[in-house]
Amino acid sequence: MAWYPGAKKMELQPESDSQPAIVPTQLILHSVAAPWTKERIFEYWRDGTNLESHFGQSYDGSIAQYIGTQTRADACYLANRRSDGTGAVSIETASDLNHTDPWTDAQVEGLIRLGVWMHQQHGIPLRICRSWTDPGYGYHRLWPEWAQGGTECPGDARVAQFKNVIFPAIVARATGQPQPPVEDDMPTPRDLWAYKGTDVPYDAYAYLLDSNRRIIALSTQVAALSATVGTLADKLGEDVDTAEVVAAVKAAIAAAVVKVDVTVDDLTPGA
């Protein structure tokens, strides 16, 4: 049986010795639907169920291996071991309870490295599985034969990461090609409002930016108006206190600006 040198060996018994051999032809990625460490995943396989995966991964990206990759593990339903002796290698990864969070950067890196090793160690072809028996790489919900009763695992966010980041990087590293750039994932205005859980309409963010631009423009107008008031006061005669007039005008304008600032601040997320 083969053991991945990048993983902590936590051999699961009796399964590691008692379950039949396989010829590994697939690597299938899972989410465990719990924010567990690799050690906690091991404990669950040992004490809580008669199922198991070959690997487990914590949020920090670290990986443990419970069963050698040439021994059957029971996380992939019909792909665990097929009639021809081939089977899938599985890794369960820490996640939220509903398969909704993305893999962390550390998890992504760990999965890429494991994927490269699987290609180098077992000759897993560098393609996404084209059927449930086709050698290659995949994620749990890709084929119904991999999940009894169906599953959302590993969730939409992680499926997108697999397709756009993880699998392309496995191919790039395994073939010595430049790694594809990762797209900018800065949140959009819509994402920001959604994150705050507010029902403020999408246009509110654009309105906020426009309000700030108006404040800047108003400040420029204040300076110009102050200069104009000073000039007018000079022309009214020596009995007029120019500084006092200018100060009074500035104070009135500043009070208006403060009111605008308060209104804009009230609209900002989290205010």
Side-chain angles (χ1 to χ4, degrees):
M1 62 182 71
W3 295 88
Y4 173 46
K8 177 181 180 181
K9 185 176 181 179
M10 302 181 68
E11 191 167 6
L12 186 66
Q13 291 292 358
E15 291 85 350
S16 183
D17 289 337
S18 64
Q19 295 186 165
I22 62 169
V23 176
T25 59
Q26 297 168 326
L27 175 63
I28 301 177
L29 278 53
H30 300 241
S31 290
V32 74
W36 290 346
T37 64
K38 59 186 184 296
E39 290 81 10
R40 178 66 184 89
I41 295 172
F42 170 79
E43 292 171 354
Y44 179 69
W45 293 151
R46 183 191 64 193
D47 305 328
T49 180
N50 60 353
L51 303 178
E52 69 284 318
S53 59
H54 290 91
F55 296 94
Q57 187 188 45
S58 307
Y59 269 129
D60 65 7
S62 60
I63 293 175
Q65 185 172 357
Y66 314 125
I67 294 180
T69 52
Q70 292 166 296
T71 299
R72 188 196 75 199
D74 295 329
C76 300
Y77 190 32
L78 299 181
N80 295 330
R81 187 180 188 276
R82 290 174 283 267
S83 59
D84 62 358
T86 64
V89 172
S90 51
I91 178 168
E92 289 282 359
T93 60
S95 71
D96 64 19
L97 301 179
N98 299 307
H99 302 300
T100 57
D101 61 336
W103 281 301
T104 66
D105 290 345
Q107 284 180 304
V108 167
E109 177 62 24
L111 293 171
I112 293 169
R113 292 183 180 183
L114 175 61
V116 172
W117 181 80
M118 287 293 297
H119 171 72
Q120 295 171 341
Q121 179 70 26
H122 297 299
I124 305 296
L126 298 171
R127 63 173 180 252
I128 296 176
C129 298
R130 300 165 296 184
S131 70
W132 78 274
T133 60
D134 186 46
Y137 296 78
Y139 46 88
H140 196 195
R141 78 185 197 193
L142 181 59
W143 296 103
E145 292 87 353
W146 293 354
Q148 185 174 16
T151 181
E152 290 300 310
C153 170
D156 293 344
R158 296 188 177 197
V159 168
Q161 285 177 300
F162 173 84
K163 292 179 177 178
N164 299 326
V165 180
I166 294 173
F167 181 70
I170 290 172
V171 174
R173 293 193 195 180
T175 58
Q177 301 299 315
Q179 188 164 330
V182 177
E183 294 184 2
D184 185 6
D185 59 355
M186 288 294 289
T188 65
R190 186 185 297 274
D191 294 332
L192 294 174
W193 286 116
Y195 174 75
K196 291 298 180 183
T198 177
D199 58 358
V200 177
Y202 173 63
D203 289 343
Y205 187 78
Y207 174 78
L208 176 62
L209 295 180
D210 183 64
S211 297
N212 279 305
R213 285 192 291 267
R214 289 173 181 270
I215 291 172
I216 295 172
L218 182 58
S219 299
T220 302
Q221 294 173 9
V222 167
L225 183 58
S226 297
T228 301
V229 170
T231 300
L232 291 174
D234 287 340
K235 293 182 178 294
L236 291 176
E238 296 180 357
D239 293 337
V240 177
D241 188 334
T242 302
E244 184 177 347
V245 172
V246 171
V249 173
K250 285 184 175 180
I253 294 173
V257 172
V258 168
K259 291 180 180 179
V260 174
D261 279 337
V262 171
T263 301
V264 172
D265 287 343
D266 288 342
L267 285 174
T268 56

